[in-house]
């Protein structure tokens, strides 16, 4: 992985016979040249670091020193380019003396000094550690390495994030202190020595990873440790059962880019009419009046109209007329001229001015004070706005979408709302039904909200239990979609498994559940409009056995009890869905 080190090879040396004196050798060393002596296949290299030794007895011959071959002889290596650490690791004997590098014919090519090798090794160790630490923290996988004893020696930032264990709490510790040893792959590498590639692994109960792992071996092939890189796939595993749904959701999202209204669930006629009408008027610039109870999705529909309009690149602002006092509401709508309320010379534009080439959504318009109704009407008629405290009319081409909870026509008749503003806004009015009048959409809305909040809270996508769905459909929903969203978010947060159960619902909703069968209580479909077809499953009922003569009626009863859901009806009958379809075709059951 790393290039071989280039060591400093010293080539300045003079060969002397063993009979040479210390004095002659000292003279050569003082000239900066090493002295080489070959004696009985042993090699001796004397450098300036040995000068003190030769000065002890100048008349003594070098042969006397060579007699101490175990102390002063130099280890030898075959000379090759480049010379790497692996070659040095094969040296036998002491590394206290210079290391001889021999050519194939046995003639010295040079020598290495141990002191220089130590400095190079220390520097190289620092550099390699820095390279490896940088590499470990650059990859997005969790990287773990252990030595032969299972002690953690590498633990990168991704591993900290995945397992929530800081480096200072695990480095230098046996990895089995933090994990079940049987579930730690790198410990298995120390025994088995096999590589793993793209292997699914579950190191903890709620953690799923895709692991690549390898044993680390020395030059002799002995295992000295193990290293693993783990890609976190926990969310993918949690979503595994919803792959088909996610695929549909992706297609729906692609379709939404062309049709923003595609995300709105509308199976019933009333809501379907509202969506069709919204699509028609989206490309126009005329005002729109949305009528419906609080929480039915008026603001959401207004955003869809804006996104489907030619103004989609322009701003979309929301003002709730009932959420602020009249003075502040006036400023929000019309802005104020510089100096009118403060020393600010520039003033501030209102939303009517800011939304030029965009859309302004006024919620709870019926709560707009009468004096502001007059100013708003004048702005719509003149297509210009005059800031509070100012006189200059600023042109604006804002599109206005207003929302009310009550019938404005009756308010006009009782002199509670300006007639001229009502007719200016009521070019096209769209009625949004409350959720209790569109129960047929609940079975589609619930899984959509479950997916949304599962992603938001990083929880599994729940399968809705039949009893829970039954209670959700029967409930009156005074808070409409807003209440439904809150309930589903609660269930996603409270659930510890992979199902949304009746017990996760608020008490008020739990009381709405009635047994699906075998009970003296009110029938399960009581209070539901005919033709509804919620998408949920019913528990298997193995005790339902039908004689052939009653087969048609049994199928009809099962479809009726499951609100037309064929998958649930098949489970209720104890047969496969394919068998149910075949029997329905055979008996011409619609």
């Amino acid at each position: 992985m790393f290039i071989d080190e280039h060591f400093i090879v010293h080539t300045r040396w003079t060969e002397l016979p063993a009979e040479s004196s210390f004095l002659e050798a000292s003279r050569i060393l003082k000239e900066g040249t090493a002295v080489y002596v070959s004696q009985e296949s042993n090699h001796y290299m004397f450098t300036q670091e040995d000068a003190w030794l030769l000065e002890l007895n100048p008349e003594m011959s070098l042969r006397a020193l060579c007699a101490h071959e175990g102390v002063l002889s130099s280890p030898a290596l075959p000379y090759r380019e480049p010379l790497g650490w692996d070659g040095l690791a094969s040296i036998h004997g002491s590394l206290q003396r210079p290391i001889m590098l021999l050519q194939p014919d046995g003639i010295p090519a040079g020598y290495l000094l141990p002191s220089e090798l130590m400095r190079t090794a220390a520097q190289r160790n620092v550099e390699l550690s820095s390279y490896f630490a940088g590499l470990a923290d650059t990859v997005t996988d969790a990287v773990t390495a252990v030595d032969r004893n299972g002690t953690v020696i590498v633990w990168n930032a991704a591993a900290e994030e995945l397992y929530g264990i800081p480096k200072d709490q695990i480095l230098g510790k046996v990895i089995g202190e933090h994990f079940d040893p049987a579930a730690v792959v790198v410990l298995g590498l120390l025994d088995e020595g096999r590589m793993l590639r793209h292997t699914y692994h579950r190191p903890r109960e709620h953690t799923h990873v895709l692991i690549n792992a390898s044993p680390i071996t020395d030059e002799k092939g002995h295992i000295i440790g193990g290293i693993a890189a783990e890609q976190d796939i926990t969310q993918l595993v949690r979503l595994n059962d919803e792959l088909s749904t996610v695929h549909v959701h992706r297609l729906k999202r692609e379709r939404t880019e062309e049709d923003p209204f595609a995300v709105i669930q509308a199976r019933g006629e009333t809501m379907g009419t509202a969506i069709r009408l919204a699509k028609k008027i989206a490309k126009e610039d005329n005002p729109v009046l949305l009528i419906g109870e609080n929480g039915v999705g008026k603001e959401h529909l207004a955003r869809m109209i804006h996104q489907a309009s030619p103004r989609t690149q322009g701003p979309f602002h929301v003002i709730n007329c009932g959420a602020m006092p009249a003075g502040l509401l006036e400023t929000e709508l019309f802005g104020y001229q510089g100096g009118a309320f403060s020393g600010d010379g520039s003033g501030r534009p209102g939303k009517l001015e800011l939304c030029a080439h965009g859309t302004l959504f006024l919620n709870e318009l019926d709560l707009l004070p009468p004096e502001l109704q007059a100013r708003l009407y004048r702005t719509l008629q003149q297509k210009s706005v005059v800031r509070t405290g100012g006189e200059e009319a600023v042109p604006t081409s804002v599109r206005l979408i207003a929302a009310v909870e009550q019938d404005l026509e009756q308010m006009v008749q009782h002199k509670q709302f300006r007639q001229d503003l009502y007719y200016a806004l009521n070019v096209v009015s769209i009625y949004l039904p409350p959720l209790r009048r569109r129960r047929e959409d609940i079975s589609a809305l619930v899984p959509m909200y479950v997916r949304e909040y599962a992603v938001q809270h990083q929880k599994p996508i729940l399968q809705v239990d039949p009893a829970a769905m039954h209670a959700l459909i029967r409930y009156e929903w005074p808070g409409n979609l807003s209440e439904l969203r809150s309930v589903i978010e609660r269930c996603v947060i409270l659930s510890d498994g992979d199902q949304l159960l009746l017990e996760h619902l608020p008490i008020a909703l739990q009381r709405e559940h009635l047994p699906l069968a075998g009970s003296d209580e009110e029938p399960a479909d009581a209070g539901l409009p005919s033709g509804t077809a919620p998408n949920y499953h019913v528990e298997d009922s193995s005790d339902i056995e039908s004689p052939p003569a009653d087969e048609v009626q049994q199928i009809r009863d099962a479809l009726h009890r499951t609100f037309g859901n064929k998958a649930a009806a098949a489970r209720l009958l104890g047969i496969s869905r394919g068998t149910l379809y075949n029997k329905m075709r055979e008996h011409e059951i619609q």
Side-chain angles (χ1 to χ4, degrees), residues 294-315:
N294 185 36
V296 296
K298 298 187 290 293
E299 180 179 339
H300 183 56
L301 182 59
R303 289 183 183 275
M304 297 300 100
I305 294 174
H306 170 73
Q307 291 175 10
S309 74
R311 297 171 175 262
T312 183
Q313 299 301 322

Side-chain angles (χ1 to χ4, degrees), residues 248-267 271 275 279 297 299-305 307 438 441 444-449 451-452 481 485:
V248 172
H249 183 63
R250 179 178 60 83
L251 295 177
K252 183 183 295 184
R253 184 175 65 252
E254 294 173 353
R255 188 170 68 250
T256 300
E257 294 176 358
E258 302 177 359
D259 180 15
F261 298 96
V263 299
I264 300 179
Q265 301 293 335
R267 295 177 177 176
M271 194 63 188
I275 299 305
K279 287 182 178 180
E299 180 179 339
H300 183 56
L301 182 59
R303 289 183 183 275
M304 297 300 100
I305 294 174
Q307 291 175 10
R438 44 180 296 216
D441 293 334
L445 290 168
V446 169
M448 182 176 71
Y449 293 153
R451 286 193 300 271
E452 177 183 336
L481 293 177
R485 293 179 69 98

Side-chain angles (χ1 to χ4, degrees), residues 4 25 28 52 62 67 69 101 190 257 260 286 456 475 482 491 507 519 526 546 565 573:
D4 285 325
I28 295 174
W52 67 273
L62 294 175
E69 60 178 72
L101 302 176
L190 301 179
E257 294 176 358
N286 55 278
Q456 178 178 327
Y475 186 58
S482 299
C491 294
I507 298 299
S519 173
S546 309
N565 189 309
L573 291 166

Side-chain angles (χ1 to χ4, degrees), residues 553-564:
Q553 187 58 43
Q554 287 289 342
I555 293 176
R556 293 187 187 276
D557 289 345
L559 289 170
H560 177 70
R561 290 166 60 187
T562 58
F563 311 108

